[in-house]
Amino acid sequence: MATSAEHGHGSHLAHHFESPQQQLAAGKLGMWIFLVTEVLFFSGLFVAYAVYRSAHPEMFADAHRYLSTTLGALNTIVLLLSSLTMAWAVRCAQLNQQRGLLICLGVTLACAGMFLGVKAVEYSAKWQEGLLWAGAFSPHEGAAHVSLISAPLFILSIPALLLVVVGAGGLAAARAWKWKQASATSATLLATGIAFCLGAVLATGVSSLKAHPTAGNQQPTAQHAGDEQATARRSETENPAGSSINYTGINYTGVFFSIYYAMTGVHALHILGGMAVIAWLIWTAAGGRYGAEYFNPVDYVGLYWHLVDVVWIYLFPLLYLIH
Amino acid sequence: MANQHATPEGNHLTHVVSTRTLLGVFAGLIVLTVVTVLAAGMASGAWEVWISMGIASAKAFLVAAYFMHLRYDNPFHTLLLVSALAFVFLFLGLTLADADAYQPAIDAYLKRQP
């Protein structure tokens, strides 16, 4: 402790580091090594996808009709915006812009909430349509109607509704007690819960405007509605020299959805983890911990958040843009 | 105060990315997203997946180079990322080659089923 005082360093320099430069370099190196393990972790899912797509290309083309490109593109833009504000938050911390730092982190967290709101509508609509993983995959006809009032969507929205309640209550209490740090944090939690609901409303609106946007110009709904024998017969007539579906009539679309849920689910878990850490950043930033001399945690969390964004950049065309 | 080293546009510990660069990269990412949706609309058969992966890689490059500071950073971090990607390609390539090698046998077996 004495040495850091002698060197004129702030209290942020851990005693085992020589200088803030060394501390930052070591932290970033550690973060990049973690990101390398994340890349390799996600690569397992991407390899499963590639093997299955190369073996059953026709089932991937079939499955894409169940996914809304509009919602995927909307979520891509929301996540790109959150990446921009995260990078901007790092800049604000480096330049000691306390207000900008809080605003940027708040927008990043709210965008993450909105992303999950859109995702919740997608998941709950698929649940209602029977578009589940292999083994439970049984699409029903006419279930394409997407509604805000649905049990699965309500269940998925419970954490966001709790966030609204906790955020609003915390904000009221913190303002009454004039506790700035708590009121800034509660306000962002409230905004994040509201952003989730906004995303859900927006996604529901988009889906009801054009449920299954591409279904019309491909096959009548009855034919891709999961009757396995019909699918097999259709493939035989359309594609006599084609691949495995011709011989057995097995509907592999459920396997596509297994991969879909594994990839988007693991990605969504990373978003949730990132949101927890960003909420902690907001709490500490509101307490004035970061500035030009010590912005390290903001920088590290930013690196993680951008990696999660990059994973989505690849997931979007692989899952939503197959034709 | 620990924060006394901040100057309006600089930081003595690290390079600060300008708002112009941040917004420019964001605009590029949005344009590329629109391009990939439009390109997928004009279905191009077997090339489709390569085109969309190419566009996604351009977006990933922008994020890594600017948002993740790799362009201004210690090059060792870039080396770490590139070596991870090299192993991803090994993993992907060898697994696909293996799966493809067995596919004719699977097809022949399935063909024999009633």
Side-chain angles (χ1 to χ4, degrees):
Chain A
M1 298 302 136
T3 48
S4 74
E6 280 161 27
H7 292 226
H9 296 146
S11 56
H12 300 297
L13 186 66
H15 66 90
H16 51 287
F17 289 116
E18 284 287 330
S19 65
Q21 283 85 349
Q22 190 197 33
Q23 180 167 261
L24 181 64
K28 282 189 111 168
L29 177 62
M31 200 61 209
W32 272 104
I33 290 171
F34 169 62
L35 294 189
V36 163
T37 68
E38 286 282 281
V39 167
L40 295 174
F41 165 73
F42 273 105
S43 76
L45 293 168
F46 282 101
V47 168
Y49 174 97
V51 167
Y52 233 88
R53 184 166 174 175
S54 78
H56 307 287
E58 73 291 339
M59 293 322 301
F60 277 70
D62 181 59
H64 116 275
R65 281 182 279 132
Y66 297 113
L67 295 174
S68 161
T69 305
T70 319
L71 293 186
L74 173 68
N75 256 354
T76 305
I77 289 170
V78 168
L79 218 50
L80 288 176
L81 179 64
S82 82
S83 245
L84 169 71
T85 53
M86 189 71 230
W88 206 316
V90 174
R91 179 191 144 86
C92 286
Q94 289 167 345
L95 297 177
N96 198 21
Q97 298 168 347
Q98 297 294 332
R99 205 180 145 73
L101 171 62
L102 274 177
I103 292 172
C104 285
L105 288 175
V107 173
T108 308
L109 193 63
C111 282
M114 191 164 179
F115 177 91
L116 290 180
V118 175
K119 206 82 219 137
V121 169
E122 289 190 272
Y123 277 171
S124 58
K126 275 170 196 62
W127 177 272
Q128 286 184 308
E129 292 170 47
L131 301 172
L132 298 175
W133 45 88
F137 182 77
S138 59
H140 348 289
E141 274 180 72
H145 179 66
V146 184
S147 163
L148 257 189
I149 303 145
S150 79
L153 182 57
F154 178 74
I155 292 167
L156 289 177
S157 305
I158 287 174
L161 299 175
L162 281 177
L163 212 56
V164 171
V165 173
V166 170
L171 184 61
R175 286 186 76 113
W177 287 76
K178 296 200 185 340
W179 187 8
K180 271 190 153 177
Q181 187 178 14
S183 61
T185 310
S186 312
T188 13
L189 293 185
L190 176 63
T192 304
I194 292 172
F196 178 99
C197 299
L198 242 157
V201 171
L202 199 61
T204 313
V206 168
S207 322
S208 57
L209 275 181
K210 41 176 197 174
H212 294 313
T214 48
N217 53 32
Q218 301 228 357
Q219 295 284 325
T221 27
Q223 263 186 299
H224 65 78
D227 181 343
E228 290 177 3
Q229 290 184 333
T231 315
R233 258 184 270 119
R234 173 166 52 106
S235 300
E236 263 169 69
T237 49
E238 280 176 3
N239 190 13
S243 41
S244 47
I245 190 173
N246 293 1
Y247 317 129
T248 59
I250 297 169
N251 190 334
Y252 289 105
T253 310
V255 180
F256 171 85
F257 277 98
S258 292
I259 294 171
Y260 167 84
Y261 283 116
M263 293 183 104
T264 57
V266 167
H267 180 263
L269 284 179
H270 277 79
I271 295 273
L272 279 173
M275 287 174 79
V277 188
I278 292 170
W280 167 76
L281 276 186
I282 290 170
W283 169 256
T284 46
R289 190 187 292 185
Y290 309 117
E293 197 67 17
Y294 184 72
F295 51 84
N296 305 17
V298 188
D299 207 347
Y300 309 151
V301 173
L303 288 176
Y304 168 82
W305 193 252
H306 297 310
L307 186 89
V308 175
D309 185 33
V310 166
V311 170
W312 182 261
I313 283 174
Y314 282 98
L315 283 183
F316 170 56
L318 286 177
L319 296 174
Y320 291 84
L321 297 180
I322 316 165
H323 284 280
Chain B
M1 196 56 205
N3 299 325
Q4 61 198 348
H5 295 279
T7 57
E9 277 295 309
N11 183 298
H12 76 116
L13 284 175
T14 189
H15 174 271
V16 181
V17 186
S18 70
T19 51
R20 217 181 127 150
T21 307
L22 290 177
L23 288 172
V25 167
F26 178 67
L29 290 168
I30 296 295
V31 168
L32 285 172
T33 304
V34 173
V35 168
T36 194
V37 171
L38 292 180
M42 302 181 282
S44 39
W47 285 98
E48 188 191 292
V49 70
W50 299 109
I51 293 171
S52 64
M53 286 300 92
I55 297 172
S57 298
K59 290 166 77 178
F61 172 82
L62 282 178
V63 171
Y66 295 96
F67 285 177
M68 297 173 96
H69 306 138
L70 278 182
R71 218 193 128 177
Y72 319 99
D73 219 0
N74 184 347
F76 187 64
H77 299 159
T78 310
L79 181 67
L80 280 179
L81 182 62
V82 169
S83 55
L85 293 178
F87 280 98
V88 169
F89 282 118
L90 264 181
F91 183 18
L92 187 68
L94 288 175
T95 314
L96 275 180
D98 189 54
D100 286 350
Y102 287 103
Q103 197 58 43
I106 295 170
D107 286 346
Y109 170 79
L110 290 172
K111 222 171 211 160
R112 285 200 303 273
Q113 302 302 302

